[in-house]
Amino acid sequence: MSDTAGIPPSGRTGRALGPGLGVSASGVGLIRRRRRRWIRVGTLGVTAVVAAAVGTASAIYAKLDGNITPDEAAAAELARYEKERPTSLVRDARNILVIGSDSRSGAGNGRYGRDPGTERSDTTILLHLSAGRRSATAVSIPRDLMVDVPACLRRDGSRAEPMFAMFNHAFESGGSACTVRTLEQLTGIRVDHHMVVDFTGFKAMVDALNGVQICLKQAIHDKAARLHLPAGTVTLNGEQALGYVRARKSLGDGSDTDRMDRQQRFLAALVNKVRSNDVLLNPAKLYPVLDAATSALTTDPELATLRGLYQLVRGMRDIPTERVQFLTVPRESYVYNANRDQLVEPEAERLFERLRTDRPVEVAPRPGPRDGSEEPAAGVSPAPTFRGNTAADDDCR
């Protein structure tokens, strides 16, 4: 029998083979048409999913981008005094002034005290990012440090006279621009960017991370800070973390230096939590952190976008934790008032000079002379050592 037996001759329609089978006894034509239909439907589905994803991503980006408040007034005031400001000496190194505001205004902040219509810098940290992002050094500036505060533009439009006062008076007098100018005048370091965070924003960031784990060598019972914590490893929520970093009189020796030490240890723990893969690689956990962080920030206009913030911190991901350092500027009791501070010289100028020129410093828990720096032993290290800690330090060991 011929191999072609039962197959319609060429040119026939093949209708006798049954409805819907086309020109092929095997139904190949129908399968091809259906496949093309499914390809079109699949392509439209994928396109719709991609469009939805892009739309969602765009909406999220716009939301986070719009959270950040640009500090236009500070930018204008700093531009007015541009000729008086120090110049950057090292390309690609960056100095960011981080200001923790004690403002009682705004939702949720009133519980921390009466709002007198003013605010001071409860915490001020100069963050130095080295060129090439080899290290990050955060320097705490005591709020009670006696300094020369320049003539600054007040919030009511008038201009304050220059005065010798506590460092945190600069923020009360003229906001972030006045704080930047005071810090630059004190250190000779150019501040490239600044950001302000208030109480509510700080708590929100900690809560968005589901708390930050620290180690306490002793239990804490502080009525003023509403803080009751057991000794050992504990995870602080936002409210507890705020009490921990702000408490002063009832914790440690009651000094501002001791308070800054606690802040530095907490920030080290915060850095480790943010950098953990559990946060950075989990969009469901990362988004609320970004939402809380951006909502909490008032920054110079250049930083007041997600792109600006990303460009600033993208290189920090690769800095080893032992090179993320926290230290206190060399200080001692002010000669005329034991409740105030003054710089320890020449140790303070040694620190400022190294930051200006992007040269390394080392930190250690043990303070140097008069709470300042220790000169390196011959052949041991090219960098002086200052009081502080790193993100790699473990308080529980």
Side-chain angles (χ1 to χ4, degrees):
M1 182 180 292
S2 169
D3 291 339
T4 60
I7 299 178
S10 177
R12 296 183 183 179
T13 63
R15 289 173 184 165
L17 295 175
L21 295 182
V23 296
S24 169
S26 62
V28 171
L30 173 63
I31 293 172
R32 286 175 177 170
R33 285 198 301 276
R34 287 178 175 173
R35 183 180 299 160
R36 286 195 295 270
R37 237 183 353 256
W38 279 110
I39 289 173
R40 288 195 298 272
V41 172
T43 301
L44 289 174
V46 170
T47 302
V49 170
V50 171
V54 170
T56 301
S58 298
I60 290 174
Y61 183 94
K63 167 70 165 59
L64 297 177
D65 197 56
N67 282 348
I68 310 169
T69 302
D71 199 348
E72 302 285 359
E77 178 72 353
L78 292 173
R80 175 189 177 98
Y81 291 95
E82 179 59 38
K83 292 183 179 180
E84 298 178 8
R85 300 181 63 193
T87 57
S88 298
L89 301 181
V90 179
R91 183 179 181 181
D92 190 43
R94 291 291 181 270
N95 297 298
I96 303 97
L97 194 62
V98 183
I99 303 169
S101 165
D102 71 354
S103 172
R104 269 64 171 179
S105 63
N109 287 332
R111 63 186 302 179
Y112 302 108
R114 182 178 59 87
D115 178 16
T118 62
E119 56 182 323
R120 295 190 181 186
S121 50
D122 193 61
T123 300
T124 305
I125 295 174
L126 177 65
L127 175 63
H128 175 77
L129 303 180
S130 69
R133 303 302 181 263
R134 301 181 306 275
S135 66
T137 302
V139 182
S140 295
I141 310 297
R143 62 184 181 182
D144 296 340
L145 185 68
M146 299 303 295
V147 297
D148 289 311
V149 178
C152 292
L153 184 67
R154 296 191 182 103
R155 291 170 177 80
D156 63 4
S158 63
R159 191 164 292 276
E161 294 295 323
M163 67 177 64
F164 186 67
M166 293 188 300
F167 181 80
N168 69 349
H169 180 75
F171 193 72
E172 179 185 17
S173 176
S176 52
C178 192
T179 303
V180 168
R181 292 179 58 213
T182 301
L183 190 282
E184 289 183 338
Q185 182 175 285
L186 177 71
T187 66
I189 297 170
R190 171 77 177 211
V191 174
D192 302 293
H193 302 289
H194 70 271
M195 55 181 67
V196 182
V197 184
D198 68 8
F199 292 163
T200 302
F202 175 83
K203 291 191 305 179
M205 283 190 287
V206 175
D207 285 333
L209 286 164
N210 293 320
V212 173
Q213 182 176 287
I214 63 170
C215 186
L216 299 175
K217 295 181 180 179
Q218 295 178 337
I220 295 177
H221 298 287
D222 187 317
K223 292 183 179 180
R226 303 175 185 177
L227 199 60
H228 300 279
L229 301 170
T233 301
V234 294
T235 298
L236 303 182
N237 62 28
E239 190 72 34
Q240 292 169 327
L242 182 62
Y244 178 73
V245 300
R246 294 193 67 240
R248 175 173 178 176
K249 295 182 179 179
S250 59
L251 295 185
D253 61 9
S255 70
D256 201 35
T257 298
D258 189 74
R259 187 180 72 107
M260 288 186 291
D261 287 347
R262 286 200 312 278
Q263 292 173 351
Q264 291 163 10
R265 291 194 296 272
F266 179 82
L267 289 175
L270 180 65
V271 167
N272 283 322
K273 183 64 178 284
V274 171
R275 288 179 54 153
S276 69
N277 290 343
D278 187 46
V279 174
L280 294 180
L281 298 183
N282 187 334
K285 293 184 177 181
L286 182 59
Y287 173 76
V289 174
L290 291 176
D291 188 34
T294 53
S295 298
L297 292 178
T298 298
T299 77
D300 58 278
E302 189 177 346
L303 274 190
T305 64
L306 279 183
R307 179 181 178 83
L309 287 174
Y310 173 74
Q311 289 178 336
L312 175 69
V313 304
R314 63 181 175 181
M316 295 181 65
R317 295 173 300 179
D318 299 324
I319 300 176
T321 53
E322 61 270 18
R323 299 307 302 166
V324 179
Q325 304 178 130
F326 303 88
L327 63 99
T328 300
V329 65
R331 45 72 57 203
E332 62 186 358
S333 295
Y334 180 48
V335 65
Y336 297 114
N337 187 339
N339 294 320
R340 302 290 180 260
D341 291 329
Q342 65 185 29
L343 294 178
V344 173
E345 298 294 2
E347 288 82 6
E349 177 53 31
R350 183 181 298 122
L351 171 63
F352 300 150
E353 190 273 335
R354 295 191 80 87
L355 294 178
R356 284 195 298 267
T357 56
D358 196 31
R359 297 165 65 194
V361 300
E362 301 293 337
V363 298
R366 181 168 55 88
R370 293 183 296 162
D371 205 17
S373 66
E374 290 182 337
E375 287 291 353
V380 174
S381 170
T385 301
F386 295 87
R387 177 193 181 102
N389 63 282
T390 75
D393 292 343
D394 185 351
D395 288 342
C396 293
R397 288 186 300 194

